[in-house]
């Protein structure tokens, strides 16, 4: 059967049950366009230890979190501790969305026996389908071979099994998707906050410069 290796991998998963973005100009530090003509600014030492440990759960690789933190920090280039806090919030929200997508996939794999039971019930009846799908999920080799033969004779594949799995766990999937949408909306809101802070700071500097220029202009020539 052409899909035999894939079917076995899903059965095993049921039994057992990171990015290179280009630097963003939107977060360039003020005056970055003239960096080549200016001496480099002193490097700030991030105070990341003050923001607490990484929000990891069992099974997650902290190295991946650190890579995301370093790359977002390099793109945004936080200029003060407030921006460091905002960057950490962005990273945590990105990590949340990555985690949720991963757990959604794992949820479907863990529930694959439910989809298999739905597929096999018209072929074997509910009781036999329930028993066979349970053995298949536990990794029983004989059950896996029997399932492959049954699906092959019926013209079905593992995609049909996973489609029925999605139907069985659609409420879980929808809830996870809503959580992803919320995390990404919060992430975008924090990014907008960083942009707004920098825009307000730039406008304040511009007004201060205009006020100074106006004071010099008000002084009459030769008044000294």
């Amino acid at each position: 059967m052409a899909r035999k290796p894939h079917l076995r991998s899903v059965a095993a998963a049921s039994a057992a049950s990171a990015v290179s973005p280009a630097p963003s100009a939107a977060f360039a530090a003020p005056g970055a366009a003239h960096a080549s003509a200016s001496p480099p600014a002193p490097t700030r030492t991030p105070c990341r230890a003050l923001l607490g440990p990484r929000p990891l759960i069992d099974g997650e690789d902290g190295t991946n979190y650190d890579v995301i933190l370093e790359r977002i920090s390099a793109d945004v280039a936080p200029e003060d501790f407030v921006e460091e806090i905002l960057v950490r919030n962005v990273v945590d929200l990105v990590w949340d969305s990555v985690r949720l997508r991963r757990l959604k996939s794992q949820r479907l794999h863990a529930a694959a026996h439910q989809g298999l039971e739905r597929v096999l019930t018209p072929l074997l009846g509910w009781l036999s389908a329930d028993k066979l799908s349970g053995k298949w999920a536990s990794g029983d080799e004989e059950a896996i071979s029997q399932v492959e033969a049954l699906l092959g004779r019926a013209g079905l594949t593992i995609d049909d099994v996973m489609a029925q799995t999605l139907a069985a766990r659609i409420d879980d999937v929808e809830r996870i998707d809503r959580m992803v949408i919320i995390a990404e909306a919060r992430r975008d809101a924090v990014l907008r906050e960083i942009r707004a802070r920098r825009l307000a700071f730039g406008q304040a500097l511009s007004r201060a410069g205009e006020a100074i220029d106006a004071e010099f202009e008000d002084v009459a020539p030769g008044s000294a």
Side-chain angles (χ1 to χ4, degrees):
M1 183 176 172
R3 290 183 172 264
K4 186 173 182 179
H6 186 33
L7 184 63
R8 290 177 180 272
S9 67
V10 175
S14 181
S17 279
V19 225
S20 301
S24 172
F27 294 106
H34 306 289
S36 59
S38 305
T43 303
R44 296 183 65 257
T45 302
C47 302
R48 295 173 183 170
L50 299 177
L51 302 179
R54 298 169 296 184
L56 306 177
I57 62 175
D58 290 344
E60 292 184 337
D61 186 355
T63 303
N64 293 335
Y65 179 91
D66 291 341
V67 169
I68 294 175
L69 175 60
E70 292 300 329
R71 293 188 178 184
I72 292 180
S73 296
D75 283 350
V76 178
E79 299 174 350
D80 53 35
F81 187 56
V82 172
E83 289 194 0
E84 286 182 32
I85 295 172
L86 294 174
V87 166
R88 174 61 184 268
N89 287 341
V90 170
V91 175
D92 287 354
L93 290 166
V94 169
W95 190 254
D96 282 346
S97 63
V98 171
R99 170 193 291 148
L100 288 167
R101 287 188 171 91
R102 184 185 72 252
L103 294 181
K104 179 175 69 173
S105 175
Q106 292 175 341
R107 182 70 186 96
L108 290 174
H109 277 290
H113 64 286
Q114 295 179 336
L116 180 62
E117 178 188 315
R118 290 188 173 200
V119 170
L120 294 180
T121 295
L123 306 176
L124 304 175
W126 176 81
L127 185 58
S128 296
D130 180 61
K131 290 181 179 179
L132 182 57
S133 61
K135 291 180 179 179
W136 176 85
S138 68
D140 183 276
E141 287 293 330
E142 183 179 351
I144 292 173
S145 297
Q146 187 177 351
V147 167
E148 290 174 348
L150 286 168
L151 293 179
R153 287 197 296 269
L156 301 172
T157 68
I158 189 62
D159 287 339
D160 298 289
V161 173
M162 296 312 298
Q164 288 293 346
T165 304
L166 176 61
R169 308 310 311 180
I170 191 64
D171 289 343
D172 293 344
V173 170
E174 288 181 342
R175 282 196 293 269
I176 293 173
D177 284 344
R178 284 196 295 270
M179 293 171 69
V180 170
I181 291 172
I182 291 171
E184 292 180 345
R186 292 170 60 194
R187 175 204 64 197
D188 292 344
V190 177
L191 291 173
R192 287 194 296 271
E193 174 65 19
I194 296 174
R195 294 190 187 99
R197 289 186 80 254
R198 294 187 177 181
L199 178 60
F201 180 69
Q203 291 173 342
L205 287 179
S206 177
R207 288 193 297 269
E210 291 172 358
I212 293 173
D213 290 342
E215 289 181 4
F216 279 103
E217 290 173 359
D218 288 343
V219 177
S223 61

